């Protein structure tokens, strides 16, 4: 699949700082010190509805990770998937009486537009589940042939007991795992499974559902977790720097992915850091396509809201926190954007060298964006109150805010 166009990232004077970030698997901060090329996999959308504020918040976090790396003059190798065949997508297509392929294409196209408008850096490899099937089939065959997977009425399940490290990403109790498995696409109640938590790797063709040639597996379609493992291993290899997503992906998705990869390669973990963004809520509940309590990026754009203000609204929250979207959050961001734009539109101002370092320090500190925004606020206040004589300062602030926060002033 093609991704979306990249907005340019201005180079800043001086040197960026290494990123210290919270890793779910170890429960502490890790300093990500990748080589000259940093490798990141971010789980993409299941395209059955438009991009909402929760998605945008999660993609914003991983966009910042890349901006910090780029500021240290590293290259970034970024991979993202699109879960363009899965139960929720097929169910929505049936509910609305539309073709599932068309639905996925339409919503993916809208996602690209939203990401472009929000100045999110595009992945180098943007890969759909369907196009990944030829790579998924041999992995499932290998898992089955090595005894890490088994067949149940034609479906192939992964055996979580095959992985000695199972549980070491989420550290959740078995009880919680069971609960979340039922809630998030698993089938812990299905009779005949070796362990109720075992996830499906390959689902045998069902009447009226799409299916693909699975060689020795028979016709069917891939499970969700093996999709991301196949794409990540194909394009990044084992031991890449970050696997990212929202905190609802900790279990089962990232736990199972690490297990699949462990069973395939003997190595653990697949990613050096498992990084998770908090959940955005609306009206007291997690924003989700299945509940329908959504604020769509595309709707706000149609209403004339500046995407830079949306981005500032996202940045005003710390990425790991759960938070609630309200109209006030957007109004505050719009006002802030106005103040910042006024401040950089003057021909000179107070020196901004220290501000650049403050931004770098805040972002390298587990993406502390609220502190970063306050630093820019202070420069803008000083500009409004006293001005200054540095004629390079307004341009430097614009470039720094663009390069490090993705906001175009
Ligand atoms: N296709 C899979 C990942 S392989 C999937 O989870 N798709 S999704 O469309 O449901 O979600 C896309 C990303 O948005 C995931 O990282 C998910 O954790 C994140 N996300 C979903 N809802 C929210 C929310 N309310 N707040 C923050 N992030 C969210
Ligand atoms: Zn994924």
């Amino acid at each position: 699949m093609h991704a979306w166009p990249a907005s340019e990232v201005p180079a800043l004077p001086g040197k960026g700082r290494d990123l210290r970030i919270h890793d779910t698997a170890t429960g502490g901060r890790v300093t990500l010190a990748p080589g000259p090329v940093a490798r990141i996999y971010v789980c993409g959308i299941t395209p059955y509805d438009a991009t909402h504020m929760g998605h945008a918040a999660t993609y914003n976090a991983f966009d910042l990770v890349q901006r910090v790396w780029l500021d240290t003059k590293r290259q970034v190798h970024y991979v993202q998937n699109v879960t363009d065949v899965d139960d929720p997508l097929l169910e929505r297509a049936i509910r609305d009486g539309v073709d599932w392929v068309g639905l996925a294409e339409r919503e993916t196209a809208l996602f690209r537009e939203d990401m472009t408008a929000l100045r999110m850096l595009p992945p180098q490899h943007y890969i759909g589940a369907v196009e990944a099937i030829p790579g998924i089939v041999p992995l499932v065959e290998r898992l089955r042939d090595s005894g890490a997977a088994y067949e149940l009425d034609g479906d192939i399940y992964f055996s979580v007991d095959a992985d000695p490290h199972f549980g070491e990403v989420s550290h959740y109790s078995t009880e919680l795992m069971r609960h979340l498995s039922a809630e998030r696409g698993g089938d812990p109640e299905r009779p005949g499974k070796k362990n109720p938590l075992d996830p499906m790797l390959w689902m045998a063709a069902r009447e009226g559902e799409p299916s693909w040639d699975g060689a020795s597996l028979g016709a069917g379609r891939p499970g969700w977790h093996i999709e991301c493992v196949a794409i990540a291993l194909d394009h990044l290899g084992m031991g890449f720097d970050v696997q990212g997503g929202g905190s609802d992906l900790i279990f089962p998705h990232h736990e199972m992915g690490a297990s699949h990869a462990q069973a395939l390669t003997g190595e653990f973990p697949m990613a050096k850091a498992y990084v998770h963004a908090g959940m955005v809520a609306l009206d007291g509940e997690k924003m989700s396509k299945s509940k329908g309590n959504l604020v769509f990026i595309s709707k706000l754009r149609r209403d004339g809201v500046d995407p830079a203000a949306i981005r500032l609204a996202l940045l005003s929250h710390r990425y790991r926190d759960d938070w609630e979207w309200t109209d006030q959050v957007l109004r505050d961001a719009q006002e802030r954007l106005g103040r910042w734009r006024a401040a950089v539109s003057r021909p000179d101002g107070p020196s901004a060298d220290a501000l650049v370092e403050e931004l770098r320090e805040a972002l390298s500190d587990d993406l502390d964006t609220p502190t970063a925004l306050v630093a820019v606020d202070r420069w803008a206040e000083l500009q409004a109150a006293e001005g200054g004589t540095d004629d390079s300062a307004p341009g430097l602030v614009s470039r720094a805010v663009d390069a490090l926060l993705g906001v175009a002033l």
Side-chain angles (χ1 to χ4, degrees):
M1 282 196 185
H2 66 283
W4 54 90
S7 54
E8 217 181 297
V9 181
L12 298 175
K15 191 165 168 356
R17 310 213 179 163
D18 281 339
L19 179 59
R20 284 166 285 130
I21 202 153
H22 183 87
D23 167 35
T24 302
T26 52
R29 291 238 181 132
V30 291
T31 301
L32 293 176
V37 182
R39 295 175 295 161
I40 178 166
Y41 185 94
V42 180
C43 283
I45 54 164
T46 305
Y48 67 89
D49 212 338
T51 324
H52 61 63
M53 203 54 70
H55 300 135
T58 289
Y59 295 110
N60 179 53
F62 297 101
D63 189 72
L64 298 177
V65 168
Q66 297 178 59
R67 288 174 184 277
V68 174
W69 278 335
L70 290 173
D71 188 39
T72 62
K73 311 283 182 268
R74 289 180 170 95
Q75 281 178 3
V76 178
H77 191 167
Y78 175 23
V79 179
Q80 189 180 130
N81 68 306
V82 187
T83 307
D84 58 0
V85 62
D86 202 4
D87 292 341
L89 173 70
L90 299 175
E91 283 160 15
R92 178 63 62 95
I94 289 169
R95 188 198 81 175
D96 294 353
V98 296
D99 169 46
W100 67 274
V101 177
L103 174 63
E105 279 173 0
R106 223 173 26 251
E107 298 304 347
T108 305
L110 189 57
F111 178 72
R112 290 189 187 98
E113 282 174 27
D114 290 335
M115 291 296 106
T116 309
L118 293 172
R119 297 172 77 80
M120 304 283 181
L121 297 168
Q124 281 84 43
H125 297 280
Y126 192 44
I127 312 286
V130 171
E131 61 183 327
I133 289 174
I136 294 172
V137 169
L139 296 189
V140 177
E141 288 178 319
R142 260 171 58 199
L143 287 169
R144 181 200 54 195
D145 296 347
S146 70
Y150 59 95
E151 191 192 319
L152 182 61
D153 297 334
D155 300 324
I156 311 282
Y157 279 90
F158 177 74
S159 181
V160 296
D161 297 317
D163 171 21
H165 294 281
F166 179 71
E168 291 181 21
V169 172
S170 68
H171 302 281
Y172 290 165
S173 67
T174 308
E175 199 189 349
L176 180 58
M177 286 184 183
R178 238 184 120 130
H179 171 76
L180 293 174
S181 161
E183 207 173 73
R184 298 174 180 166
D187 54 3
E189 306 296 338
R190 181 168 176 180
K193 289 172 67 173
K194 289 188 177 166
N195 183 320
L197 297 174
D198 291 346
M200 219 185 261
L201 290 166
W202 186 256
M203 183 195 268
R206 306 284 200 266
E207 184 70 33
E209 287 190 359
S211 62
W212 288 265
D213 177 14
S216 72
L217 308 172
R221 62 179 161 97
W224 173 30
H225 320 303
I226 192 69
E227 165 195 341
C228 284
V229 172
I231 296 170
L233 294 186
D234 188 20
H235 294 282
L236 296 174
M238 269 311 265
F240 53 90
D241 297 290
V242 168
Q243 178 161 19
S247 59
D248 58 345
L249 297 190
I250 295 173
F251 192 89
H253 190 50
H254 289 172
E255 187 78 68
M256 295 301 177
S259 261
H260 293 353
Q262 199 283 335
L264 283 163
T265 66
E267 289 173 41
F268 182 91
M270 176 166 71
K272 295 198 181 95
Y274 283 85
V275 180
H276 295 105
M279 289 291 114
V280 181
L282 181 69
D283 302 329
E285 274 202 272
K286 175 195 159 187
M287 218 179 259
S288 77
K289 290 179 279 205
S290 47
K291 289 202 201 89
N293 56 337
L294 304 170
V295 175
F296 293 120
I297 304 298
S298 44
K299 166 82 167 57
L300 290 177
R301 292 199 288 120
R302 268 201 314 277
D303 292 347
V305 175
D306 190 326
I310 301 175
R311 189 117 190 201
L312 270 187
L314 301 173
L315 291 162
S316 67
H317 299 85
R318 192 81 183 257
Y319 83 98
R320 284 210 314 132
D321 294 340
D322 294 335
W323 56 279
E324 171 108 14
W325 176 264
T326 62
D327 292 343
Q328 189 61 41
V329 170
L330 181 60
R331 276 196 297 271
D332 289 347
Q334 286 168 318
E335 278 170 24
R336 177 175 252 150
L337 184 63
R339 288 196 304 273
W340 289 12
R341 281 193 172 146
V344 298
S345 68
R346 291 169 49 175
D348 47 26
S351 165
D353 297 345
L355 171 60
V356 173
E357 295 314 312
E358 281 166 16
L359 290 178
R360 282 176 163 149
E361 181 53 33
L363 287 172
S364 69
D365 179 16
D366 203 22
L367 305 176
D368 185 356
T369 53
T371 296
L373 298 198
V374 168
V376 182
D377 285 344
R378 273 203 306 268
W379 182 86
E381 275 159 28
L382 197 59
Q383 169 74 310
E386 297 174 16
T389 56
D390 184 342
D391 62 6
S392 68
L396 180 57
V397 172
S398 287
R399 284 198 302 283
V401 166
D402 186 359
L404 296 173
L405 301 174
V407 174
L409 294 181

